[in-house]
Amino acid sequence: MIRNQTITESRFPSFFWTAVAAFAAVAASCPSLCGQTVGPGGPVDFKVTELPHTGKLISVAVNKGVLVDFNVPLREVRIANPDIADAAPTGPKQILINGKSFGTTQLVALLDGEEQRIFDVAVDLDMERLQASIRSAVPHAQVRASSVLDTVVLTGTVPDAESAQKLAEIAEIYAKRVVNHLRVAGVQQVVLRCTVAEVNRTATRQLGFNGWIAGDNMRDVFGVSQVGGINPVNIGAAGGVNVTGRIPFATDQNGLNLTPRPTLSFGFPRVQMQVFIQALRENGLLRVLAEPNLIAISGQEAEFLAGGEIPIPVPQGMNQSITIEYREYGVKLRFTPAVMGPNAIRLKVAPEVSEPDYATAVTISGYVVPGLTQRRVETTVELAGGQTFAIGGLLSERVRGVARKVPALGDVPVLGALFSSVDYQSQETELVVLVTPELVAPLSPDQIAYVPGAEMVNPNDCELFFGGQLEGQPARVTCEPEPGCDGPGPVKTAEVFGPAVRGLRGPVGPAGEEGG
């Protein structure tokens, strides 16, 4: 049986199927064209749009605010980093920016009509108060203080180093980090003239008697005086003599072995008596004079040494291998100048004069190492240029006396000197150290300084072999006839090297009025 059915068919418009076919074609071709796979975890495309940048900077001090006025109405403002600063509108064309912490950020302003602008915002230190403090502390200084984030940079010129230090300390109150680019005006080089003078006087007086008496004329007795150890003779019974008979006393059979201690000796051969006398009077004088000169820039240490080095052997390890260390000696000078003002110089100075002392030498592994006699001063002083300070002085007097006597016999008037020995020594030392600083400037190219040996000339054969002269005749120059010049003749150093040398210190003598 066939039943009749009614079938209703719903169809999409023809343009829908056209769009689906086009979308499928694009989707199929996209992976091959773009080289990407669309699906979960695939790449995300983005687009960066650069907003118009004005290049203008808005500066605000930390913990302070500034009002910014625009010439057009604002729709919205935003701060890129709200931890550095924040912005709040106060009117259609005005905003308030508050600085929170040091740094830089950006302000994005949205204008009417969807137009945007970007402005830089820098949060720095408050330089107005610091600049006012600088002007108050050093009125004549030309100093500018600028800030870079949390750092203060000082630039300009100050009259002296003390002012530069003062301004740096003031800037440290406003910021933990300070970059000091200040320049001190004027001459900043210092020459130090140091003089070390010492006189050492020693005096020695000695008197002593020794002797012996023995022999045939003194059958049953002999005597020896040995106070002070002057007597160099050993006395006693001759070897191999029978002691049952008379004992013949004898001195050294090979002659008297005299030592340097006795200064006088006389004897009586028939009596077999000899006397040794030590009578000495000695005076010594030592004079040390050193004048080192040294130049250094303000704040920098300079060191000068004229001397040498002593090798010192040092045993190393269990096998006692020897290594050599060196110790300096001679005239040494170290100083650090600081120009505090136009007429004030602060010096940290340490002069030293030393020399080998073989009286205190020691022997290490067969090597004789001498000691060092040193005169050293180290201190800090402040004085004006050209002034002299005695930074160290010593007056030492030492007396040593030793008297040795035979009891009772040595106390007998006059004759007691034969049984006593006296050694009396005195030493007197005078030492003074002087320093004189001066501000100096370098010489011009047309100025020539005098150097030792500048006037020395080598002798010719006639002067050397026939005249025995080790130096030739000094240089002679001629001058054109003019007032004060009578023609050729010997001239002085200043005339050879120019008038500028007259103002120099050093080997040519003290400085003049224009000395440098």
Side-chain angles (χ1 to χ4, degrees):
M1 170 182 258
I2 301 173
R3 296 182 179 177
N4 296 329
Q5 295 181 352
T6 303
I7 300 175
T8 304
E9 183 179 1
S10 177
R11 297 184 178 181
F12 289 95
S14 59
F15 70 88
F16 172 78
W17 297 108
T18 304
V20 171
F23 177 80
V26 172
S29 62
C30 183
S32 61
L33 295 177
C34 301
Q36 299 177 352
T37 302
V38 180
V44 177
D45 294 336
F46 62 89
K47 179 181 180 181
V48 178
T49 302
E50 294 185 0
L51 299 178
H53 194 278
T54 62
K56 294 183 179 180
L57 176 65
I58 302 174
S59 297
V60 57
V62 65
N63 298 326
K64 285 191 174 183
V66 294
L67 290 174
V68 182
D69 295 316
F70 292 86
N71 59 349
V72 295
L74 300 176
R75 181 177 177 183
E76 185 181 358
V77 291
R78 292 182 181 180
I79 294 292
N81 189 349
D83 294 333
I84 296 178
D86 59 12
T90 58
K93 298 182 181 181
Q94 188 182 72
I95 61 173
L96 173 64
I97 298 180
N98 295 316
K100 291 183 177 181
S101 62
F102 299 107
T104 59
T105 184
Q106 290 181 323
L107 170 69
V108 181
L110 182 61
L111 309 180
D112 288 341
E114 302 297 331
E115 186 179 358
Q116 294 179 336
R117 291 290 188 271
I118 294 180
F119 303 90
D120 292 329
V121 178
V123 180
D124 298 320
L125 293 168
D126 184 7
M127 291 293 99
E128 294 183 1
R129 293 183 58 190
L130 176 57
Q131 199 71 43
S133 300
I134 291 175
R135 288 192 297 266
S136 176
V138 186
H140 301 290
Q142 299 178 357
V143 177
R144 180 178 179 272
S146 57
S147 65
V148 179
L149 300 180
D150 59 342
T151 302
V152 172
V153 180
L154 299 178
T155 57
T157 304
V158 292
D160 50 63
E162 185 177 5
S163 299
Q165 181 179 359
K166 182 187 299 183
L167 295 183
E169 293 174 352
I170 293 175
E172 290 177 355
I173 300 175
Y174 292 83
K176 296 181 180 180
R177 298 181 57 188
V178 177
V179 178
N180 191 347
H181 288 169
L182 296 177
R183 186 176 63 88
V184 181
V187 178
Q188 296 298 306
Q189 294 185 124
V190 179
V191 58
L192 179 66
R193 315 186 193 281
C194 183
T195 301
V196 180
E198 178 186 10
V199 176
N200 193 337
R201 304 182 183 90
T202 58
T204 302
R205 289 182 290 174
Q206 295 176 342
L207 180 61
F209 293 90
N210 276 178
W212 59 270
I213 182 170
D216 293 339
N217 295 330
M218 301 289 294
R219 292 185 177 182
D220 299 325
V221 66
F222 72 94
V224 178
S225 173
Q226 197 65 16
V227 178
I230 304 173
N231 186 0
V233 178
N234 295 324
I235 186 169
V241 177
N242 190 356
V243 296
T244 58
R246 183 170 57 85
I247 301 177
F249 287 94
T251 60
D252 188 358
Q253 298 295 330
N254 297 322
L256 298 179
N257 184 20
L258 297 179
T259 66
R261 291 186 60 84
T263 57
L264 178 63
S265 176
F266 61 91
F268 302 93
R270 300 181 66 87
V271 183
Q272 290 189 303
M273 181 182 73
Q274 188 169 8
V275 178
F276 302 93
I277 301 175
Q278 185 183 59
L280 177 65
R281 183 171 183 175
E282 180 181 11
N283 294 326
L285 176 63
L286 173 65
R287 181 172 182 260
V288 177
L289 181 63
E291 294 183 301
N293 297 338
L294 194 59
I295 296 179
I297 196 170
S298 177
Q300 301 296 323
E301 183 183 41
E303 183 173 346
F304 171 88
L305 174 64
E309 293 182 338
I310 299 176
I312 301 177
V314 180
Q316 301 288 339
M318 299 298 295
N319 56 358
Q320 295 295 305
S321 60
I322 301 298
T323 60
I324 302 298
E325 295 183 358
Y326 292 89
R327 179 180 299 176
E328 297 177 345
Y329 72 93
V331 180
K332 187 176 182 179
L333 175 62
R334 290 187 298 107
F335 88 107
T336 304
V339 180
M340 308 306 297
N343 201 31
I345 303 173
R346 181 175 297 171
L347 290 175
K348 182 179 180 182
V349 58
E352 177 182 336
V353 177
S354 59
E355 57 187 353
D357 183 10
Y358 286 90
T360 59
V362 296
T363 302
I364 303 176
S365 301
Y367 297 92
V368 178
V369 181
L372 285 179
T373 301
Q374 293 181 330
R375 281 80 76 192
R376 177 171 55 194
V377 179
E378 185 171 355
T379 185
T380 301
V381 295
E382 184 172 336
L383 63 167
Q387 292 183 337
T388 301
F389 226 133
I391 63 172
L394 173 66
L395 178 59
S396 174
E397 185 174 358
R398 183 172 57 184
V399 178
R400 177 180 178 270
V402 178
R404 301 180 181 89
K405 297 182 180 180
V406 177
L409 296 178
D411 296 329
V412 177
V414 182
L415 296 179
L418 299 176
F419 304 95
S420 62
S421 175
V422 179
D423 187 355
Y424 185 86
Q425 298 178 356
S426 65
Q427 183 177 5
E428 181 180 345
T429 301
E430 298 180 21
L431 173 66
V432 63
V433 180
L434 307 175
V435 294
T436 304
E438 291 183 5
L439 297 176
V440 294
L443 295 175
S444 301
D446 58 342
Q447 294 176 313
I448 302 177
Y450 171 75
V451 294
E455 296 180 349
M456 178 181 176
V457 295
N458 296 325
N460 54 34
D461 293 343
C462 181
E463 293 172 337
L464 178 62
F465 297 117
F466 296 100
Q469 300 178 10
L470 300 181
E471 295 185 19
Q473 294 296 326
R476 305 172 67 90
V477 300
T478 59
C479 57
E480 298 296 333
E482 60 180 1
C485 179
D486 298 330
V491 296
K492 298 182 179 180
T493 305
E495 298 176 359
V496 175
F497 293 100
V501 77
R502 299 176 182 174
L504 297 175
R505 283 183 178 268
V508 297
E513 297 180 357
E514 300 178 356

